[in-house]
Amino acid sequence: MTKQQTLVLIKPDGMAKFLTGNIITELADTGLILVGSKVVQVTRELAEEHYQHLRDEKFFSELIDYIMGEFHVKRVLALVYQGDNAIEKVRHVVGSTDPEKAEPTSIRGKFGRITKEGVFENVVHASENEKESEREIKLWFRPKELVRTIFPTESKEVKKVEYFWKS
Ligand code: UDP
Ligand code: MG
């Protein structure tokens, strides 16, 4: 058993269909611990960095539009789960990439679809392996946004502007 962490994204189609509750319930059945969570408006820069390994695929530009919410709503829910074999456990409940081929009882099998343009609207992203999960978690989250320190950190002094509610 290896303790792992994995990034899950509830994609814009999952958000538009109000599936966050259903998906988090399914993920809870894995027994993994939720260590981070936030709603994100995905910029083109973040989308292209996240899917950089797919940049030569013919569906890349549509995939970027999809994850940015151009077809649904402009938000995703980013989650980090931790526990034994977290990557495989989550990929199992998530199901295959192609929602038509995914197990009918998996999240993608239940809620995903292929559009007539051929885009896989498969509701969730889940990290594929340890190298990717580390890269993805570091891309989406700052250390302080997670309740556990899962990777080594370093401190840097920065000058920044903070926003407060107007009084
Ligand atoms: N994708 C697609 N068509 C394909 C393959 C992938 O639209 O033929 C999209 C789909 O949204 C998928 C994402 O690109 O989730 C990333 O692809 P990957 O092969 O990494 O699949 P995943 O790891 O998400 O199962
Ligand atoms: Mg992948």
Side-chain angles (χ1 to χ4, degrees):
M1 290 274 187
T2 31
K3 192 171 182 187
Q4 294 176 330
Q5 33 285 321
T6 185
L7 178 80
V8 175
L9 302 175
I10 301 184
K11 294 179 176 181
D13 52 326
M15 300 299 276
K17 293 174 179 170
F18 292 98
L19 290 172
T20 50
N22 305 60
I23 294 165
I24 290 170
T25 301
E26 304 261 358
L27 291 167
D29 292 340
T30 61
L32 298 166
I33 307 293
L34 181 61
V35 296
S37 154
K38 66 176 172 179
V39 181
V40 181
Q41 239 173 24
V42 181
T43 61
R44 183 164 298 276
E45 192 188 11
L46 175 59
E48 289 181 351
E49 189 65 36
H50 177 75
Y51 283 128
Q52 40 129 325
H53 53 295
L54 298 173
R55 63 183 167 267
D56 296 330
E57 299 290 343
K58 60 182 186 313
F59 56 82
F60 183 69
S61 133
E62 274 174 333
L63 175 60
I64 296 305
D65 286 345
Y66 166 42
I67 200 71
M68 287 176 69
E70 298 295 334
F71 309 137
H72 303 91
V73 292
K74 290 196 169 62
R75 54 181 185 273
V76 304
L77 182 65
L79 306 162
V80 177
Y81 283 90
Q82 187 178 50
D84 287 333
N85 290 325
I87 294 170
E88 198 202 307
K89 279 181 184 159
V90 170
R91 292 282 293 189
H92 180 74
V93 295
V94 161
S96 308
T97 307
D98 178 344
E100 300 296 330
K101 295 198 178 120
E103 271 284 299
T105 53
S106 67
I107 295 170
R108 286 169 167 174
K110 275 186 193 168
F111 305 119
R113 66 165 196 157
I114 302 178
T115 66
K116 60 183 189 309
E117 290 79 22
V119 181
F120 290 179
E121 291 187 358
N122 56 11
V123 191
V124 280
H125 164 82
S127 307
E128 276 179 56
N129 53 51
E130 286 194 12
K131 195 164 162 257
E132 277 295 281
S133 71
E134 179 170 346
R135 184 186 75 82
E136 293 173 357
I137 292 167
K138 288 179 174 176
L139 177 65
W140 287 80
F141 285 87
R142 290 279 178 83
K144 283 208 161 175
E145 293 175 317
L146 302 177
V147 296
R148 290 182 179 172
T149 309
I150 56 182
F151 305 118
T153 60
E154 60 180 351
S155 63
K156 287 179 189 169
E157 231 172 85
V158 287
K159 203 176 157 194
K160 63 173 182 178
V161 176
E162 285 237 33
Y163 285 86
F164 297 91
W165 300 117
K166 222 171 170 180
S167 50

